[in-house]
Amino acid sequence: MSGPTSKTRRMVIKRDESTCQWCGSHVDTSSGWYSLQHRRARGMGGSKQAWINGPANLITVCGTGTTQCHGYMEAHPIEAAGRGFRLGIGEHPDLTPIEDWSRCRWRLEVDGSRTALEVAR
């Protein structure tokens, strides 16, 4: 299976309000300098599981895998995991919240919406 469908991509960008969920910067989705971060990695060669490219597992961030916030998360996996941007095996994206740039915690839903939980302390 390849990456997310264009419908899913649009859904995630709309949910995230064209904003990097790590730093809060506006993301120009026409430039290509943004990513939909897979919270739980696809693994080498991708995954046959449909949810891996679903909205609960994807989050809008600025940069590529080596630049800006996406690059930072790749270089700092423990910090990214602490905020829910990186998940381990056995963690489910629709059950593990993220802490966004504003310190709000959100549960990302499988239907492409999000549910506010609380502000982190």
Side-chain angles (χ1 to χ4, degrees):
M1 177 175 275
S2 59
T5 65
S6 57
K7 178 182 176 184
T8 300
R9 184 173 286 278
R10 287 190 305 272
M11 186 184 306
V12 171
I13 292 167
K14 181 179 179 180
R15 177 199 67 207
D16 295 344
E17 300 175 343
S18 297
T19 302
C20 174
Q21 297 301 291
W22 186 266
C23 74
S25 296
H26 173 74
V27 175
D28 179 6
T29 57
S30 65
S31 72
W33 284 98
Y34 78 99
S35 299
L36 293 186
Q37 164 76 4
H38 284 83
R39 299 172 63 212
R40 181 136 155 229
R42 292 179 289 183
M44 298 281 290
S47 172
K48 294 182 189 277
Q49 300 176 38
W51 63 265
I52 209 83
N53 288 309
N57 196 45
L58 298 169
I59 194 148
T60 308
V61 294
C62 60
T64 67
T66 59
T67 65
Q68 294 177 288
C69 290
H70 191 170
Y72 180 88
M73 289 186 293
E74 294 297 326
H76 300 88
I78 295 170
E79 184 179 351
R83 288 180 54 190
F85 282 70
R86 189 174 185 136
L87 304 178
I89 294 174
E91 290 184 282
H92 297 281
D94 57 329
L95 300 176
T96 306
I98 65 150
E99 180 185 318
D100 73 7
W101 57 274
S102 69
R103 299 184 50 95
C104 284
R105 295 187 69 215
W106 302 93
R107 185 176 58 237
L108 304 181
E109 310 291 355
V110 296
D111 66 0
S113 64
R114 64 184 182 175
T115 303
L117 299 176
E118 78 269 353
V119 175
R121 303 230 183 264

